[in-house]
Amino acid sequence: MRRLPPVLIEDGCSRELLSLIRTILAACKEISFRVGQGALSGVLGSTLDENIQGETQKKLDVLSNQLLKDILLESGYVKAIASEEEDYTVAGNPDAEYIVAFDPLDGSSNTDINSLVGTIFSIMRAPKDSDPADERIFMQPGHQQVAAGYVLYGPCTTLALTIGKGTRIFTLDKTHGSFMLTEEFAKIPEDTKEFAINASNQRHWQPAMQNYVNDLLAGDTGPRGKNFNMRWIAAMVGDVHRVLCRGGLFTYPADTKDPNKPFKLRLLYEANPMAMLVEQAGGIAHTGQERILEIDPQEIHQRVSVILGSKNEVEACLGYHK
Ligand code: AHG
Ligand code: MN
Ligand code: MN
C-alpha cells in the first residue's frame, strides 16, 4: 500500500503543493483525533457565538477552524485563507503561490450525536503580484482549482483528493499517522437507484425539482419505471463520500423557506471542491442552470444550488430543469 507523498509526486504534484496539502492534512489528523475523543475532550456542544452567516458555531467548528488557520498561516505556504468560520479572508505570506478556502467542519449538526463530519478544502493559485489582503483573489471559477479534497471523520478517517488527475481515496492509518492509498481511481457509476435530499424542504422547492423527486418516489409505477432508495446524512461530506463509493444523486436545491437565503451550500468551500472531486470521478456537478465549476464567484460566502453525482441520473434531473 502506498503513502500519499510518493503517489502525488508520481501524479506530477509540485513540492510546494505537496507541502501545502500535507500541512492541511496535519491539521485534519488533529481534528480527527479530537472528534474521535468526543465527550472526553470536552469539545461537544455549542459556543455562544454565531458566524457571519448567522449560524451558531459548535465548539468543534471553532476548534477545527483554529487548527487549520494556525497551521496554514504559520506554514508560509498560503497567500491567504477563506473559511466558513471567518467573516473575511485572512492574509498570509505575500510571496506564497496558493490560496486555500475551507469548511473546517462540515456537518456540524452531527457533532453531538457521534455521526459523520468532515473537513472540505479547495486550493487555488493566487494571481501574480496580488495583495494577500484583497479578497478578490478568491473570485476564481472552480475549474481553476489546482486541488480539492475532503477528510471524512467516520468509523475510519478517509481522504478524497484530486489534483486534476482523477480522484483518489486514502485511509488514515492511525497506527503511524499516514494517509495510505486505498482507492486508485474513484469512479462514480453512471447509473444509480439512490438519491439524497432533505425531503422536509420539498414543498419549498421550485416545480422542476418537485416534479423530479415525485417521479423518483413513484418508483416502478411512475415514469422512471424503477424503484429508488433514499439516504440523507446531513453532512455533505458524508453524502458525497457515499456517491463517490457507490454512486447516487445528491442535491441541495434552491428553496423559498427564507427569501434571504435561497440556497444552503457555499460555493467556494463546499460546492466547488466537491464538484471537482465528482467530475474527476466521472460524475456531474451542476446548479440546474450551469456547471458549478464555471460560476464566477462574487463573494466568499456565496451560496449555490447543488445537484451532483452519477452522470445519467444528474442528466435525468437536469432534463426537468430545461
Ligand atoms: P455546515 O455544517 O458546514 O454548516 O454544513 C452543513 C450543510 C451540508 O453539509 C449538509 O448537506 C447540509 O448542510 C445539511 O442541511 P440540513 O440541515 O438541511 O439537513
Ligand atoms: Mn459545510
Ligand atoms: Mn462547516
Side-chain angles (χ1 to χ4, degrees):
M1 222 179 271
R2 291 186 297 153
R3 288 170 57 248
L4 177 131
V7 173
L8 289 191
I9 289 168
E10 270 172 39
D11 280 351
C13 183
S14 69
R15 291 275 166 193
E16 178 97 3
L17 180 57
L18 176 61
S19 300
L20 171 54
I21 291 170
R22 295 184 77 184
T23 302
I24 294 171
L25 296 180
C28 293
K29 285 181 207 174
E30 173 80 22
I31 299 170
S32 170
F33 177 74
R34 298 297 198 98
V35 167
Q37 289 282 93
L40 300 177
S41 60
V43 292
L44 302 188
S46 299
T47 65
L48 297 174
D49 297 323
E50 281 188 351
N51 63 19
I52 197 169
Q53 307 173 55
E55 295 162 344
T56 305
Q57 289 178 306
K58 293 292 184 78
K59 288 182 191 164
L60 269 171
D61 289 321
V62 175
L63 175 74
S64 306
N65 183 57
Q66 201 65 49
L67 286 166
L68 280 156
K69 179 179 167 182
D70 287 350
I71 198 168
L72 279 168
L73 296 178
E74 279 162 18
S75 74
Y77 294 125
V78 284
K79 188 159 199 163
I81 57 163
S83 162
E84 179 190 347
E85 307 302 342
E86 296 287 332
D87 298 358
Y88 308 103
T89 60
V90 184
N93 173 7
D95 301 322
E97 211 178 315
Y98 298 106
I99 54 177
V100 181
F102 55 87
D103 176 352
L105 201 76
D106 179 63
S108 305
S109 72
N110 284 345
T111 51
D112 300 342
I113 58 166
N114 192 16
S115 194
L116 292 183
V117 289
T119 297
I120 310 173
F121 58 91
S122 158
I123 304 178
M124 293 178 290
R125 230 175 268 285
K128 278 234 167 351
D129 304 321
S130 52
D131 174 0
D134 183 351
E135 72 173 44
R136 285 175 301 181
I137 61 180
F138 283 89
M139 302 302 117
Q140 305 182 34
H143 65 78
Q144 291 184 16
Q145 291 172 106
V146 294
Y150 64 75
V151 178
L152 175 65
Y153 312 114
C156 60
T157 293
T158 47
L159 161 71
L161 180 66
T162 179
I163 59 165
K165 304 215 167 128
T167 293
R168 296 177 180 277
I169 302 196
F170 300 83
T171 302
L172 179 61
D173 183 338
K174 294 182 181 172
T175 58
H176 53 76
S178 303
F179 280 96
M180 310 300 293
L181 181 66
T182 42
E183 171 114 41
E184 187 84 40
F185 286 110
K187 174 86 185 94
I188 301 174
E190 293 189 352
D191 291 299
T192 183
K193 289 183 170 181
E194 205 158 55
F195 65 101
I197 55 167
N198 182 339
S200 68
N201 294 327
Q202 184 166 1
R203 71 184 190 284
H204 304 290
W205 295 340
Q206 288 160 356
M209 194 52 89
Q210 297 215 23
N211 294 338
Y212 167 69
V213 169
N214 283 338
D215 286 351
L216 299 183
L217 296 176
D220 60 9
T221 63
R224 298 300 305 276
K226 63 177 183 180
N227 293 324
F228 285 80
N229 184 32
M230 201 199 85
R231 289 285 184 272
W232 186 250
I233 292 175
M236 183 190 202
V237 72
D239 283 309
V240 170
H241 189 66
R242 186 187 57 256
V243 167
L244 279 182
C245 292
R246 69 176 188 211
L249 178 138
F250 165 89
T251 182
Y252 212 114
D255 67 55
T256 54
K257 241 185 344 187
D258 174 353
N260 297 317
K261 202 176 112 181
F263 312 112
K264 170 108 191 215
L265 298 175
R266 278 61 52 106
L267 176 61
L268 289 189
Y269 42 81
E270 291 176 322
N272 268 344
M274 292 312 203
M276 184 176 181
L277 289 162
V278 163
E279 285 197 3
Q280 287 290 319
I284 297 180
H286 214 270
T287 65
Q289 279 72 46
E290 61 189 320
R291 184 177 164 231
I292 287 173
L293 295 182
E294 277 166 18
I295 300 172
D296 280 316
Q298 305 298 313
E299 49 155 335
I300 54 167
H301 298 296
Q302 177 173 340
R303 296 171 188 262
V304 284
S305 148
V306 172
I307 307 166
L308 61 78
S310 292
K311 181 173 174 294
N312 293 340
E313 195 52 44
V314 175
E315 280 171 355
C317 176
L318 296 179
Y320 289 72
H321 289 75
K322 289 207 172 106

